[in-house]
Amino acid sequence: MDPHGEDLPPPPPIPSDVQLVQSESDKGSPSRSPPMKGQAQPNKPKRIPAARPGLATRGQKINLLSNHYRVNVKGTADYFYHYSVLLKYEDDRAVDGKGIGRKVIDKMKQTYDSELGNKDFAYDGEKTLFTLGPLPQNKNEFVVVLEDLPSGRTGKGSPGGNPGEDSPGGSDRKRLRKPYNTKTFKVEVNFATKIPMSAIAQSMKGHESENSQEAFRVLDIILRQHSASQGCLLVRQSFFHNNPNNFIDLGGGVMGCRGFHSSFRTTQSGLSLNIDVSTTMIVKPGPVVDFLVVNQNVNHPSQIDWQKAKRMLKNLRIRVLPSNQEYKIVGLSDLPCGEQTFMLKQRNGEGEREVTVSQYYKEKGTDLRYSDHCPCINVGKPRRPTFYPIELCHLVSLQRYTKALNSLQRASLVEKSRQKPQERMQILNDALRRSNYDSEPMLRACGISISPSFTPVDGRVLQAPKLKTGNGGDFSPRDGRWNFNNKTLIRPCHVDKWAVVNFSARCDVRSLIRDLIRCGNMKGVKIDDPFNVFEEGRNMRGTPPNVRVDEMFEQVRTKLPGAPRFLLCLLPERKNSDIYGPWKRKCLADFGIVTQCLAPSKVNDQYLTNLLLKINAKLGGMNSLLQVEDVPSIPLISRVPTIILGIDVSHGSPGQADRPSIAAVVSSRQWPLISKYRASVHAQSAKLEMIDSLFKPKVTADGPVDEGIIKELLVDFYSSSGKRKPDHVIIFRDGVSESQFSQVLNNELDQIMAACKFLDENWNPKFTVIVAQKNHHTKFFIQNDPNNVPPGTVIDNKVCHPRNYDFYMCSHKGAIGTTRPTHYHVLLDQIGFTPDDLQELVHSLSYVYQRSTTAISVVAPICYAHLAATQVGQFMKFDDYQSDTSSSQGGHSSGGGAPVPELPRLHEKVRSSMFFC
């Protein structure tokens, strides 16, 4: 498997009866498992997640509590009956507004309770309704009359004397002239299917089915319905009360809203209710103008950018004074309030006259302080606008803010959301008590009762692996931490042919260089004097980032004797510097130069040591090794060539829905090491989690080739590991939910297998596939102890799956807040690790992260994949900056939609480096 083609077996010929086809995943259907392109594949049974082979025993025992509450189910002989719901207006138009469904169904139950057999409902708020036992009729049609009050309140005290007449929009004034207008709905409730409650009991024994998934969906819908009846904001299975005590001001008109997550889970202990603290972002309630002023960071309404305001306000709900009516914002008026006119009908029937919105309110006795010079809020329809002066409009509470937070807002959220373990336990117990689930009629009808106390679990604390540094001695990290005091790096690099570039950072560059060389010598890293220091000209500071980068590289190119091997880049901003993306792209893709960026603020020896760890790893050195890696003596890995893959997909931030997703795969190299990695990164369709480019066969004039991600990683392993092919492949996959496990096992794994077969038809490596999840809601607490669980804590009982092979691990030290464990799911283990050996391997891989001197919360290959995807993703941001209408020619489409631009390929000089470190 030489990268230049020597020693490679010829690719297998494509049989004449096989035609290259476009896979379903390329057509945007990642949920199906298509035959591999260019490969004839027999029908084979789908793989399912592996069953637990047994429990591990290593480690010191520790008694813990988990935020799972035991659930008792008395009767499981009944059936949930599933009905489809169709809501229509009186003229048969479909009801499309969200939020009205619950009011209509509540009114239907209230009006037709006897016709519905006095049944309680579980309604999802849209098109699905469940009952316990059947309704009297399979097909039901009802007419429901609702009072037409947008906010559910009666307006009082309006300037004109009638509720709603403060609006200059004629249609709204007519519709709201009566205190109680009505709206009529037609409701169709038709039987769809029935779901046995016994599926819940079967699921608790580990026998999952489509029925059990549907039954748990019903239970979760009951929880959502219960919280909706309390006026909560619902975000999937998280619920947020309108309580200002739960709001956290993050600046910019954005607030964090603390609530709680609640969902039913099947565990080894039976059914449990998992409750955890949850936070969502909401728009700060209050006057619209106050929100816009802080959101745009201006001092006065006259400074507001109204085009930006229009985009921000669209679809938000407001309450208008003094009537307290609620409306949804559809836009802003084209003219200011003092100039925007409309035709006002005369009370005496003498026709119409044209008045401005401002004039109308003054005639009604409402003084406007500043609205004359601001646009009006439009809450009407496209052809019949309804305008309100902006100062009479207040944003209502509990409206989600879905755009990306800036770095200051994120930092503020993290800082203000931290909760120590004992505090979180108290909050969760209070949340269960206040939720009062015992009063929910549907849960009572199902015979469900919930224990008020946490579930006790048996934990074990694994011993930290021994590490090896350059001084020759082994040492054991304490409490998940270590340092390089009086130690040297185990494989230090030589930093030569290097230079410094300074993008207007305020810093004593000469002192920084002197201290870096001194610190490097202490750690065994020989650092030559730099060729030069390149300072950015003052005239460049206000120019676009790509221009600044090009100008700096022109200096480097013309003033250095040859291409540098390493560039140290000083940036003026610590976070989100717009120089970062263009600089990384220029170095890594165009010139193949290793680079390290820093924003020097407080530089001390600890800071410089951390900087050296990154530089050393990027230039090919190693900072520390596991003792069992150096010997080598890792079970099933050190004796058999083994490649470890870490896979992650990075998506655009909220508000960047069309930005391509970035798929990254890192792979270990130089076996028997498991601390050295390289990365391959590809772009794919926006928000697509499953990777479709692991194996990409293509027919060329020279024959079939594979342009997928995996091939280059396998070839690199072969050439860096003494020309050995890996007989074991360990895959760590991040970012997928349980509903996507089948796609990992039957789509992505098939692609990786096909990539191996493409290189050698007779090559049959064994695979172990492990999914790592951080986005879950299970937490662990030490009984009668205010501290977090210690590093190395592992749990594989009580709250784990009744059948599937999973475990929770807290490998890192939770210094602040409450430790979030990583939930590992072993989907496949052909290699045959014992539970103890596999957990030890996962634990050890949290200690090989070359960037830090602490154990990390998830295995290093996944962290590296995330870093690689995020860093190369900056290249895409750079392209976005250059042009909003740039062509996508040369790209590819992986979802049947717009073509995905190709990422710049890394230069061959840095392709195998740990550039992401």
Side-chain angles (χ1 to χ4, degrees), residues 276-290:
D276 192 23
V277 173
S278 185
T279 304
T280 193
M281 303 309 116
I282 62 171
V283 173
K284 188 174 183 177
V288 171
V289 167
D290 291 358

Side-chain angles (χ1 to χ4, degrees), residues 69 273 275 428-437 450-452:
Y69 297 86
L273 181 67
I275 297 183
L428 296 181
N429 283 326
D430 290 346
L432 177 63
R433 189 182 66 255
R434 285 197 310 270
S435 296
N436 194 21
Y437 287 129
I450 301 167
S451 166

Side-chain angles (χ1 to χ4, degrees), residues 840-852:
E840 290 275 16
L841 172 64
V842 168
H843 188 219
S844 295
L845 284 171
S846 301
Y847 282 80
V848 302
Y849 191 55
Q850 297 296 304
R851 282 165 54 107
S852 73

Side-chain angles (χ1 to χ4, degrees), residues 658 660 684-686 888 891-901:
D658 297 330
Q684 60 185 36
S685 294
S888 305
H892 67 279
S893 174
S894 58
V900 178

Side-chain angles (χ1 to χ4, degrees), residues 88-91 93 95 100 104 107 143-150 175 180-186 381:
K88 296 185 290 186
Y89 292 110
E90 201 171 9
D91 59 2
R93 286 181 299 117
V95 175
I100 192 68
V104 174
K107 184 71 172 181
V143 175
V144 175
V145 179
L146 277 187
E147 295 165 359
D148 181 25
L149 297 172
R175 189 170 68 241
Y180 291 98
N181 205 347
T182 58
K183 186 164 284 188
T184 302
F185 298 87
K186 295 178 180 178
K381 297 179 180 178

